[in-house]
Amino acid sequence: MSAASCLRSEDQFLCSICLDVFTDPVTTSCGHNFCKNCINEHWNSNDQYLCPMCKEVFNTKPELHINTLLTEVVAQFRQEAQQKASSSSSEQQAAKPGEVPCDVCTGTKLKALKSCLVFLGCLAAFFSFPTHQEPPVKVSHDKRHQLMDPVENLEDRMCMKHNKPLELFCKTDQKIVCVLCAYTDHKTHDVVPLEEEYERQKAELGKKNAEIQQMIQKRRLKIQEIKHSVDLSKEDADREKAEGVQVFITLKESVERSLNELIETIEEKQRTTEKQAEDNIRELEQEISELKKRSSEVEKLSHSEDHLHLLQNFPSLEAAPPTKDWTEVSVRPPSYEGTVVRAVTQLEETLSKEMKKLVEVELKRVQQYAVDVTLDPDTAHPNLTLSRDGKQVNHGYKRKNLPDNPERFSYCPNVLGKQSFSSGRFYFEVQVKGKTEWDLGVVRESINRKGMITLRPQDGYWTIVLRNGNQYKACAGPSVRLSLKSRPQKVGVFVDYEEGLVFFYDIDAAALIYSFTGCSFTEKLYPYFGPSTNDGGKNSAPLIICPVNQTA
């Protein structure tokens, strides 16, 4: 093969107008080559004679000359391409199921490589070009082939009404149309080239895909967050189990130690009683032995017929025997009254100490969920006085002229916190020092705030109260009387929304006052404060929301 033949390529023999291999190539005066028919149609369809390649304008229609050399080279190229196509086709395999077959192949249908979309009815899939001997269809010389990856049913891409390619998009009707549709049914609509809408929607798809990827990333992060929460939960569970085991081991040891001390005390009393009885028995047996000896001597002397001997020894036998008075001597069982009670009391003291340690640890945990609570003046009863910082409230003598808005308590002297909580955990502390009556807790948003109210969970109140200076109650519906070892000066309130828990703590005593469990929260919860009436100055001290001192 010559060097010239090796350098040949299809691009060298394509007409710049029809983009097809030259047919009857001619040369213009500017030196450019075109298909004879292509350049004539091009000039016939324009107002001026312009070279499509260099844009040179001719005053008159140029005289065209057949390019003899190019014609011969193109003919040779076609022959070589045909031979190559014939050889290549024999090596190609037929289109497999699911693959688009070539519409031009005769006999065995080979796999199509491209599809032609818009050319005067040219809707054909073809294997390759110029693999076949001829182009799939004869096309207009002033248009370009529009190729894409092979597809089936190309007729679906034609307008059913006008039999024209669907190459425009009506944005008004969101519909793909042909050129004639755009000039008839969609004349006044916003119509753009299909490529333009394609690019726009492709960009939208890019944005949508970016959003989807972002959603995927968020969900992956959420999975990591959940897994991390599970890991933290497991750590907490392991720590809680370890602490719980240690606490119960300590309690078990305390119980066993108290039981052993109780048994030892009882057995010691029994040993003392037994020793006392043994000593008395030993002494009595000794006296019995002496008395028996005395009895033998008396009996022997009584049988003596020697008058002198009897009279000489009688005085020594007549004296009282060396015995003590056993009348008042007795061995009484030891008294066990109070022994078990004292042991249990001592055990209770030990348990109380351990319980206090547990509550101290628990307080440190719940104090981590401390929130900043302030009083909401829009909910305060007209007789209540709130501090400027919203941290203190007490009952005044004079009723304020305030609007009776739906949020305000109209009868009972109560007030709510501004902050609401509908998930998670929260904690706050309130000073109750110097008061003889108060209410504390949390309430749901929909509680009744007008007229008399009943403090119970059924009505949305989870509270504890103090009445008459020393009567503590948990308003559990019915109320539960609370026996407290000391008067709380500061009360801590902890809520776990999801777990349905409300705990009340005596901060100074590090003791649990009361716990509501198994609650079902479905609304927002608000901190609740009831300073009660002034009672002639006896209950004038305010309720004070205190900063939480989170000890290390």
Side-chain angles (χ1 to χ4, degrees), residues 141-172:
H141 295 297
D142 59 350
K143 291 184 176 287
R144 295 172 179 262
H145 282 281
Q146 183 173 337
L147 304 181
M148 62 178 291
D149 290 335
V151 294
E152 293 182 306
N153 302 323
L154 290 176
E155 62 273 10
D156 295 339
R157 299 173 180 267
M158 295 290 289
C159 176
M160 300 297 292
K161 184 176 181 180
H162 302 107
N163 198 30
K164 295 292 182 181
L166 297 172
E167 52 188 353
L168 299 175
F169 183 80
C170 177
K171 300 178 70 173
T172 305

PDB file of all heavy atoms in Angstrom, residues 141-172:
ATOM      1  N   HIS A 141     -28.961  18.320   1.316  1.00  0.00           N
ATOM      2  CA  HIS A 141     -27.584  18.819   1.359  1.00  0.00           C
ATOM      3  C   HIS A 141     -27.403  20.018   2.263  1.00  0.00           C
ATOM      4  O   HIS A 141     -26.280  20.443   2.497  1.00  0.00           O
ATOM      5  CB  HIS A 141     -27.139  19.183  -0.071  1.00  0.00           C
ATOM      6  CG  HIS A 141     -27.074  17.966  -0.954  1.00  0.00           C
ATOM      7  ND1 HIS A 141     -26.217  16.922  -0.726  1.00  0.00           N
ATOM      8  CD2 HIS A 141     -27.790  17.644  -2.067  1.00  0.00           C
ATOM      9  CE1 HIS A 141     -26.377  15.997  -1.679  1.00  0.00           C
ATOM     10  NE2 HIS A 141     -27.323  16.409  -2.500  1.00  0.00           N
ATOM     11  N   ASP A 142     -28.485  20.619   2.754  1.00  0.00           N
ATOM     12  CA  ASP A 142     -28.309  21.791   3.622  1.00  0.00           C
ATOM     13  C   ASP A 142     -28.618  21.460   5.082  1.00  0.00           C
ATOM     14  O   ASP A 142     -28.908  22.338   5.864  1.00  0.00           O
ATOM     15  CB  ASP A 142     -29.200  22.943   3.157  1.00  0.00           C
ATOM     16  CG  ASP A 142     -30.662  22.569   3.155  1.00  0.00           C
ATOM     17  OD1 ASP A 142     -30.948  21.353   3.330  1.00  0.00           O
ATOM     18  OD2 ASP A 142     -31.494  23.463   2.979  1.00  0.00           O
ATOM     19  N   LYS A 143     -28.601  20.186   5.410  1.00  0.00           N
ATOM     20  CA  LYS A 143     -28.815  19.790   6.805  1.00  0.00           C
ATOM     21  C   LYS A 143     -27.712  18.827   7.223  1.00  0.00           C
ATOM     22  O   LYS A 143     -27.011  18.273   6.390  1.00  0.00           O
ATOM     23  CB  LYS A 143     -30.187  19.135   6.994  1.00  0.00           C
ATOM     24  CG  LYS A 143     -31.344  20.103   6.840  1.00  0.00           C
ATOM     25  CD  LYS A 143     -32.649  19.409   7.143  1.00  0.00           C
ATOM     26  CE  LYS A 143     -33.819  20.373   7.105  1.00  0.00           C
ATOM     27  NZ  LYS A 143     -33.855  21.250   8.239  1.00  0.00           N
ATOM     28  N   ARG A 144     -27.612  18.608   8.503  1.00  0.00           N
ATOM     29  CA  ARG A 144     -26.625  17.677   9.040  1.00  0.00           C
ATOM     30  C   ARG A 144     -27.347  16.476   9.634  1.00  0.00           C
ATOM     31  O   ARG A 144     -28.443  16.608  10.158  1.00  0.00           O
ATOM     32  CB  ARG A 144     -25.802  18.339  10.155  1.00  0.00           C
ATOM     33  CG  ARG A 144     -24.938  19.484   9.673  1.00  0.00           C
ATOM     34  CD  ARG A 144     -24.333  20.191  10.872  1.00  0.00           C
ATOM     35  NE  ARG A 144     -23.465  21.281  10.428  1.00  0.00           N
ATOM     36  CZ  ARG A 144     -22.144  21.188  10.327  1.00  0.00           C
ATOM     37  NH1 ARG A 144     -21.561  20.042  10.589  1.00  0.00           N
ATOM     38  NH2 ARG A 144     -21.422  22.213   9.926  1.00  0.00           N
ATOM     39  N   HIS A 145     -26.715  15.334   9.560  1.00  0.00           N
ATOM     40  CA  HIS A 145     -27.248  14.182  10.288  1.00  0.00           C
ATOM     41  C   HIS A 145     -27.160  14.458  11.789  1.00  0.00           C
ATOM     42  O   HIS A 145     -26.206  15.061  12.259  1.00  0.00           O
ATOM     43  CB  HIS A 145     -26.430  12.921   9.986  1.00  0.00           C
ATOM     44  CG  HIS A 145     -26.769  12.306   8.663  1.00  0.00           C
ATOM     45  ND1 HIS A 145     -27.877  11.533   8.475  1.00  0.00           N
ATOM     46  CD2 HIS A 145     -26.122  12.371   7.463  1.00  0.00           C
ATOM     47  CE1 HIS A 145     -27.894  11.113   7.209  1.00  0.00           C
ATOM     48  NE2 HIS A 145     -26.856  11.626   6.574  1.00  0.00           N
ATOM     49  N   GLN A 146     -28.157  13.993  12.498  1.00  0.00           N
ATOM     50  CA  GLN A 146     -28.124  14.112  13.958  1.00  0.00           C
ATOM     51  C   GLN A 146     -28.070  12.696  14.507  1.00  0.00           C
ATOM     52  O   GLN A 146     -29.063  11.958  14.469  1.00  0.00           O
ATOM     53  CB  GLN A 146     -29.357  14.832  14.488  1.00  0.00           C
ATOM     54  CG  GLN A 146     -29.313  15.042  16.004  1.00  0.00           C
ATOM     55  CD  GLN A 146     -30.453  15.910  16.461  1.00  0.00           C
ATOM     56  OE1 GLN A 146     -31.005  16.683  15.692  1.00  0.00           O
ATOM     57  NE2 GLN A 146     -30.820  15.775  17.712  1.00  0.00           N
ATOM     58  N   LEU A 147     -26.902  12.293  14.976  1.00  0.00           N
ATOM     59  CA  LEU A 147     -26.673  10.913  15.376  1.00  0.00           C
ATOM     60  C   LEU A 147     -26.701  10.768  16.893  1.00  0.00           C
ATOM     61  O   LEU A 147     -26.365  11.683  17.633  1.00  0.00           O
ATOM     62  CB  LEU A 147     -25.332  10.432  14.840  1.00  0.00           C
ATOM     63  CG  LEU A 147     -25.132  10.543  13.326  1.00  0.00           C
ATOM     64  CD1 LEU A 147     -23.765  10.014  12.947  1.00  0.00           C
ATOM     65  CD2 LEU A 147     -26.238   9.818  12.578  1.00  0.00           C
ATOM     66  N   MET A 148     -27.088   9.574  17.327  1.00  0.00           N
ATOM     67  CA  MET A 148     -27.118   9.266  18.757  1.00  0.00           C
ATOM     68  C   MET A 148     -26.895   7.769  18.905  1.00  0.00           C
ATOM     69  O   MET A 148     -26.835   7.025  17.913  1.00  0.00           O
ATOM     70  CB  MET A 148     -28.468   9.661  19.383  1.00  0.00           C
ATOM     71  CG  MET A 148     -29.649   8.912  18.797  1.00  0.00           C
ATOM     72  SD  MET A 148     -31.198   9.351  19.585  1.00  0.00           S
ATOM     73  CE  MET A 148     -30.938   8.633  21.203  1.00  0.00           C
ATOM     74  N   ASP A 149     -26.773   7.296  20.153  1.00  0.00           N
ATOM     75  CA  ASP A 149     -26.635   5.861  20.385  1.00  0.00           C
ATOM     76  C   ASP A 149     -27.871   5.163  19.842  1.00  0.00           C
ATOM     77  O   ASP A 149     -28.978   5.704  19.879  1.00  0.00           O
ATOM     78  CB  ASP A 149     -26.481   5.574  21.882  1.00  0.00           C
ATOM     79  CG  ASP A 149     -25.137   6.059  22.398  1.00  0.00           C
ATOM     80  OD1 ASP A 149     -24.198   6.159  21.573  1.00  0.00           O
ATOM     81  OD2 ASP A 149     -25.027   6.349  23.603  1.00  0.00           O
ATOM     82  N   PRO A 150     -27.711   3.953  19.326  1.00  0.00           N
ATOM     83  CA  PRO A 150     -28.824   3.276  18.664  1.00  0.00           C
ATOM     84  C   PRO A 150     -30.025   3.066  19.568  1.00  0.00           C
ATOM     85  O   PRO A 150     -29.882   2.715  20.730  1.00  0.00           O
ATOM     86  CB  PRO A 150     -28.218   1.943  18.224  1.00  0.00           C
ATOM     87  CG  PRO A 150     -27.024   1.748  19.098  1.00  0.00           C
ATOM     88  CD  PRO A 150     -26.492   3.121  19.383  1.00  0.00           C
ATOM     89  N   VAL A 151     -31.224   3.324  19.003  1.00  0.00           N
ATOM     90  CA  VAL A 151     -32.479   3.121  19.721  1.00  0.00           C
ATOM     91  C   VAL A 151     -33.450   2.423  18.785  1.00  0.00           C
ATOM     92  O   VAL A 151     -33.339   2.492  17.576  1.00  0.00           O
ATOM     93  CB  VAL A 151     -33.080   4.455  20.214  1.00  0.00           C
ATOM     94  CG1 VAL A 151     -32.206   5.097  21.267  1.00  0.00           C
ATOM     95  CG2 VAL A 151     -33.292   5.411  19.044  1.00  0.00           C
ATOM     96  N   GLU A 152     -34.445   1.757  19.377  1.00  0.00           N
ATOM     97  CA  GLU A 152     -35.481   1.110  18.596  1.00  0.00           C
ATOM     98  C   GLU A 152     -36.696   2.017  18.482  1.00  0.00           C
ATOM     99  O   GLU A 152     -36.813   3.016  19.205  1.00  0.00           O
ATOM    100  CB  GLU A 152     -35.873  -0.217  19.260  1.00  0.00           C
ATOM    101  CG  GLU A 152     -34.761  -1.253  19.238  1.00  0.00           C
ATOM    102  CD  GLU A 152     -35.203  -2.564  19.848  1.00  0.00           C
ATOM    103  OE1 GLU A 152     -35.680  -2.530  20.987  1.00  0.00           O
ATOM    104  OE2 GLU A 152     -35.063  -3.598  19.179  1.00  0.00           O
ATOM    105  N   ASN A 153     -37.606   1.655  17.602  1.00  0.00           N
ATOM    106  CA  ASN A 153     -38.866   2.367  17.432  1.00  0.00           C
ATOM    107  C   ASN A 153     -38.651   3.858  17.186  1.00  0.00           C
ATOM    108  O   ASN A 153     -39.225   4.721  17.867  1.00  0.00           O
ATOM    109  CB  ASN A 153     -39.771   2.169  18.651  1.00  0.00           C
ATOM    110  CG  ASN A 153     -40.055   0.705  18.912  1.00  0.00           C
ATOM    111  OD1 ASN A 153     -40.210  -0.074  17.971  1.00  0.00           O
ATOM    112  ND2 ASN A 153     -40.097   0.326  20.173  1.00  0.00           N
ATOM    113  N   LEU A 154     -37.802   4.178  16.211  1.00  0.00           N
ATOM    114  CA  LEU A 154     -37.543   5.581  15.914  1.00  0.00           C
ATOM    115  C   LEU A 154     -38.776   6.308  15.395  1.00  0.00           C
ATOM    116  O   LEU A 154     -38.838   7.539  15.433  1.00  0.00           O
ATOM    117  CB  LEU A 154     -36.418   5.687  14.873  1.00  0.00           C
ATOM    118  CG  LEU A 154     -35.020   5.298  15.382  1.00  0.00           C
ATOM    119  CD1 LEU A 154     -34.029   5.344  14.233  1.00  0.00           C
ATOM    120  CD2 LEU A 154     -34.584   6.212  16.497  1.00  0.00           C
ATOM    121  N   GLU A 155     -39.772   5.543  14.921  1.00  0.00           N
ATOM    122  CA  GLU A 155     -40.986   6.197  14.436  1.00  0.00           C
ATOM    123  C   GLU A 155     -41.716   6.937  15.551  1.00  0.00           C
ATOM    124  O   GLU A 155     -42.503   7.856  15.301  1.00  0.00           O
ATOM    125  CB  GLU A 155     -41.920   5.177  13.774  1.00  0.00           C
ATOM    126  CG  GLU A 155     -42.415   4.067  14.696  1.00  0.00           C
ATOM    127  CD  GLU A 155     -41.437   2.892  14.747  1.00  0.00           C
ATOM    128  OE1 GLU A 155     -40.301   3.030  14.224  1.00  0.00           O
ATOM    129  OE2 GLU A 155     -41.795   1.850  15.296  1.00  0.00           O
ATOM    130  N   ASP A 156     -41.459   6.530  16.818  1.00  0.00           N
ATOM    131  CA  ASP A 156     -42.084   7.226  17.944  1.00  0.00           C
ATOM    132  C   ASP A 156     -41.555   8.637  18.091  1.00  0.00           C
ATOM    133  O   ASP A 156     -42.119   9.438  18.837  1.00  0.00           O
ATOM    134  CB  ASP A 156     -41.853   6.451  19.246  1.00  0.00           C
ATOM    135  CG  ASP A 156     -42.551   5.100  19.236  1.00  0.00           C
ATOM    136  OD1 ASP A 156     -43.492   4.953  18.433  1.00  0.00           O
ATOM    137  OD2 ASP A 156     -42.168   4.221  20.033  1.00  0.00           O
ATOM    138  N   ARG A 157     -40.456   8.953  17.431  1.00  0.00           N
ATOM    139  CA  ARG A 157     -39.878  10.292  17.517  1.00  0.00           C
ATOM    140  C   ARG A 157     -40.391  11.208  16.408  1.00  0.00           C
ATOM    141  O   ARG A 157     -39.865  12.282  16.219  1.00  0.00           O
ATOM    142  CB  ARG A 157     -38.348  10.198  17.461  1.00  0.00           C
ATOM    143  CG  ARG A 157     -37.767   9.397  18.620  1.00  0.00           C
ATOM    144  CD  ARG A 157     -36.287   9.161  18.470  1.00  0.00           C
ATOM    145  NE  ARG A 157     -35.781   8.393  19.580  1.00  0.00           N
ATOM    146  CZ  ARG A 157     -35.252   8.929  20.708  1.00  0.00           C
ATOM    147  NH1 ARG A 157     -35.174  10.230  20.813  1.00  0.00           N
ATOM    148  NH2 ARG A 157     -34.829   8.161  21.671  1.00  0.00           N
ATOM    149  N   MET A 158     -41.397  10.744  15.665  1.00  0.00           N
ATOM    150  CA  MET A 158     -42.026  11.542  14.603  1.00  0.00           C
ATOM    151  C   MET A 158     -43.376  12.056  15.082  1.00  0.00           C
ATOM    152  O   MET A 158     -44.082  11.402  15.854  1.00  0.00           O
ATOM    153  CB  MET A 158     -42.231  10.690  13.352  1.00  0.00           C
ATOM    154  CG  MET A 158     -40.935  10.228  12.700  1.00  0.00           C
ATOM    155  SD  MET A 158     -40.047  11.577  11.918  1.00  0.00           S
ATOM    156  CE  MET A 158     -41.136  11.871  10.514  1.00  0.00           C
ATOM    157  N   CYS A 159     -43.732  13.262  14.658  1.00  0.00           N
ATOM    158  CA  CYS A 159     -45.043  13.828  14.970  1.00  0.00           C
ATOM    159  C   CYS A 159     -46.110  13.007  14.259  1.00  0.00           C
ATOM    160  O   CYS A 159     -46.088  12.861  13.026  1.00  0.00           O
ATOM    161  CB  CYS A 159     -45.101  15.289  14.534  1.00  0.00           C
ATOM    162  SG  CYS A 159     -46.729  16.057  14.768  1.00  0.00           S
ATOM    163  N   MET A 160     -47.074  12.483  14.979  1.00  0.00           N
ATOM    164  CA  MET A 160     -48.120  11.651  14.408  1.00  0.00           C
ATOM    165  C   MET A 160     -49.039  12.468  13.499  1.00  0.00           C
ATOM    166  O   MET A 160     -49.650  11.948  12.569  1.00  0.00           O
ATOM    167  CB  MET A 160     -48.936  11.004  15.536  1.00  0.00           C
ATOM    168  CG  MET A 160     -48.118  10.108  16.460  1.00  0.00           C
ATOM    169  SD  MET A 160     -47.424   8.688  15.583  1.00  0.00           S
ATOM    170  CE  MET A 160     -48.927   7.795  15.224  1.00  0.00           C
ATOM    171  N   LYS A 161     -49.117  13.768  13.757  1.00  0.00           N
ATOM    172  CA  LYS A 161     -50.032  14.621  13.004  1.00  0.00           C
ATOM    173  C   LYS A 161     -49.421  15.111  11.700  1.00  0.00           C
ATOM    174  O   LYS A 161     -50.074  15.117  10.644  1.00  0.00           O
ATOM    175  CB  LYS A 161     -50.450  15.812  13.863  1.00  0.00           C
ATOM    176  CG  LYS A 161     -51.480  16.717  13.220  1.00  0.00           C
ATOM    177  CD  LYS A 161     -51.919  17.816  14.194  1.00  0.00           C
ATOM    178  CE  LYS A 161     -52.978  18.719  13.560  1.00  0.00           C
ATOM    179  NZ  LYS A 161     -53.401  19.790  14.502  1.00  0.00           N
ATOM    180  N   HIS A 162     -48.129  15.517  11.743  1.00  0.00           N
ATOM    181  CA  HIS A 162     -47.505  16.122  10.575  1.00  0.00           C
ATOM    182  C   HIS A 162     -46.398  15.265   9.969  1.00  0.00           C
ATOM    183  O   HIS A 162     -45.807  15.646   8.960  1.00  0.00           O
ATOM    184  CB  HIS A 162     -46.921  17.492  10.941  1.00  0.00           C
ATOM    185  CG  HIS A 162     -47.942  18.441  11.490  1.00  0.00           C
ATOM    186  ND1 HIS A 162     -47.987  18.788  12.830  1.00  0.00           N
ATOM    187  CD2 HIS A 162     -48.969  19.105  10.879  1.00  0.00           C
ATOM    188  CE1 HIS A 162     -48.978  19.637  13.022  1.00  0.00           C
ATOM    189  NE2 HIS A 162     -49.592  19.840  11.870  1.00  0.00           N
ATOM    190  N   ASN A 163     -46.090  14.133  10.587  1.00  0.00           N
ATOM    191  CA  ASN A 163     -45.035  13.256  10.100  1.00  0.00           C
ATOM    192  C   ASN A 163     -43.705  14.001   9.970  1.00  0.00           C
ATOM    193  O   ASN A 163     -42.960  13.836   9.004  1.00  0.00           O
ATOM    194  CB  ASN A 163     -45.423  12.610   8.777  1.00  0.00           C
ATOM    195  CG  ASN A 163     -44.571  11.395   8.462  1.00  0.00           C
ATOM    196  OD1 ASN A 163     -44.111  10.714   9.381  1.00  0.00           O
ATOM    197  ND2 ASN A 163     -44.332  11.147   7.186  1.00  0.00           N
ATOM    198  N   LYS A 164     -43.450  14.851  10.941  1.00  0.00           N
ATOM    199  CA  LYS A 164     -42.207  15.603  11.003  1.00  0.00           C
ATOM    200  C   LYS A 164     -41.468  15.231  12.286  1.00  0.00           C
ATOM    201  O   LYS A 164     -42.089  14.824  13.274  1.00  0.00           O
ATOM    202  CB  LYS A 164     -42.479  17.120  10.992  1.00  0.00           C
ATOM    203  CG  LYS A 164     -43.096  17.639   9.695  1.00  0.00           C
ATOM    204  CD  LYS A 164     -42.125  17.542   8.534  1.00  0.00           C
ATOM    205  CE  LYS A 164     -42.728  18.117   7.258  1.00  0.00           C
ATOM    206  NZ  LYS A 164     -41.775  17.999   6.120  1.00  0.00           N
ATOM    207  N   PRO A 165     -40.144  15.400  12.297  1.00  0.00           N
ATOM    208  CA  PRO A 165     -39.379  15.074  13.510  1.00  0.00           C
ATOM    209  C   PRO A 165     -39.823  15.937  14.698  1.00  0.00           C
ATOM    210  O   PRO A 165     -40.093  17.134  14.541  1.00  0.00           O
ATOM    211  CB  PRO A 165     -37.933  15.394  13.114  1.00  0.00           C
ATOM    212  CG  PRO A 165     -37.925  15.353  11.629  1.00  0.00           C
ATOM    213  CD  PRO A 165     -39.259  15.828  11.187  1.00  0.00           C
ATOM    214  N   LEU A 166     -39.880  15.322  15.887  1.00  0.00           N
ATOM    215  CA  LEU A 166     -40.192  16.044  17.119  1.00  0.00           C
ATOM    216  C   LEU A 166     -38.908  16.695  17.606  1.00  0.00           C
ATOM    217  O   LEU A 166     -38.103  16.079  18.318  1.00  0.00           O
ATOM    218  CB  LEU A 166     -40.750  15.073  18.174  1.00  0.00           C
ATOM    219  CG  LEU A 166     -42.074  14.392  17.815  1.00  0.00           C
ATOM    220  CD1 LEU A 166     -42.418  13.321  18.833  1.00  0.00           C
ATOM    221  CD2 LEU A 166     -43.198  15.432  17.728  1.00  0.00           C
ATOM    222  N   GLU A 167     -38.717  17.964  17.230  1.00  0.00           N
ATOM    223  CA  GLU A 167     -37.454  18.628  17.537  1.00  0.00           C
ATOM    224  C   GLU A 167     -37.624  19.948  18.282  1.00  0.00           C
ATOM    225  O   GLU A 167     -36.669  20.685  18.474  1.00  0.00           O
ATOM    226  CB  GLU A 167     -36.684  18.885  16.242  1.00  0.00           C
ATOM    227  CG  GLU A 167     -37.483  19.609  15.170  1.00  0.00           C
ATOM    228  CD  GLU A 167     -36.729  19.671  13.847  1.00  0.00           C
ATOM    229  OE1 GLU A 167     -35.552  19.262  13.837  1.00  0.00           O
ATOM    230  OE2 GLU A 167     -37.310  20.114  12.853  1.00  0.00           O
ATOM    231  N   LEU A 168     -38.869  20.246  18.719  1.00  0.00           N
ATOM    232  CA  LEU A 168     -39.139  21.454  19.506  1.00  0.00           C
ATOM    233  C   LEU A 168     -39.875  21.075  20.791  1.00  0.00           C
ATOM    234  O   LEU A 168     -40.488  20.002  20.883  1.00  0.00           O
ATOM    235  CB  LEU A 168     -39.979  22.448  18.700  1.00  0.00           C
ATOM    236  CG  LEU A 168     -39.365  22.981  17.410  1.00  0.00           C
ATOM    237  CD1 LEU A 168     -40.371  23.847  16.668  1.00  0.00           C
ATOM    238  CD2 LEU A 168     -38.082  23.759  17.695  1.00  0.00           C
ATOM    239  N   PHE A 169     -39.823  21.994  21.774  1.00  0.00           N
ATOM    240  CA  PHE A 169     -40.489  21.747  23.050  1.00  0.00           C
ATOM    241  C   PHE A 169     -41.352  22.951  23.415  1.00  0.00           C
ATOM    242  O   PHE A 169     -40.863  24.088  23.456  1.00  0.00           O
ATOM    243  CB  PHE A 169     -39.470  21.502  24.162  1.00  0.00           C
ATOM    244  CG  PHE A 169     -40.089  21.159  25.494  1.00  0.00           C
ATOM    245  CD1 PHE A 169     -40.536  19.864  25.755  1.00  0.00           C
ATOM    246  CD2 PHE A 169     -40.236  22.132  26.482  1.00  0.00           C
ATOM    247  CE1 PHE A 169     -41.107  19.550  26.973  1.00  0.00           C
ATOM    248  CE2 PHE A 169     -40.804  21.818  27.697  1.00  0.00           C
ATOM    249  CZ  PHE A 169     -41.250  20.524  27.953  1.00  0.00           C
ATOM    250  N   CYS A 170     -42.637  22.709  23.633  1.00  0.00           N
ATOM    251  CA  CYS A 170     -43.558  23.771  24.047  1.00  0.00           C
ATOM    252  C   CYS A 170     -43.553  23.858  25.557  1.00  0.00           C
ATOM    253  O   CYS A 170     -44.063  22.965  26.250  1.00  0.00           O
ATOM    254  CB  CYS A 170     -44.968  23.468  23.542  1.00  0.00           C
ATOM    255  SG  CYS A 170     -46.188  24.703  24.091  1.00  0.00           S
ATOM    256  N   LYS A 171     -42.972  24.919  26.096  1.00  0.00           N
ATOM    257  CA  LYS A 171     -42.878  25.100  27.549  1.00  0.00           C
ATOM    258  C   LYS A 171     -44.240  25.419  28.151  1.00  0.00           C
ATOM    259  O   LYS A 171     -44.488  25.133  29.315  1.00  0.00           O
ATOM    260  CB  LYS A 171     -41.870  26.205  27.869  1.00  0.00           C
ATOM    261  CG  LYS A 171     -40.468  25.904  27.347  1.00  0.00           C
ATOM    262  CD  LYS A 171     -39.497  27.035  27.622  1.00  0.00           C
ATOM    263  CE  LYS A 171     -39.163  27.154  29.094  1.00  0.00           C
ATOM    264  NZ  LYS A 171     -38.095  28.140  29.338  1.00  0.00           N
ATOM    265  N   THR A 172     -45.107  26.020  27.318  1.00  0.00           N
ATOM    266  CA  THR A 172     -46.445  26.364  27.814  1.00  0.00           C
ATOM    267  C   THR A 172     -47.239  25.105  28.129  1.00  0.00           C
ATOM    268  O   THR A 172     -47.871  24.990  29.191  1.00  0.00           O
ATOM    269  CB  THR A 172     -47.201  27.207  26.783  1.00  0.00           C
ATOM    270  OG1 THR A 172     -46.418  28.359  26.454  1.00  0.00           O
ATOM    271  CG2 THR A 172     -48.558  27.642  27.326  1.00  0.00           C
TER     272      THR A 172
END
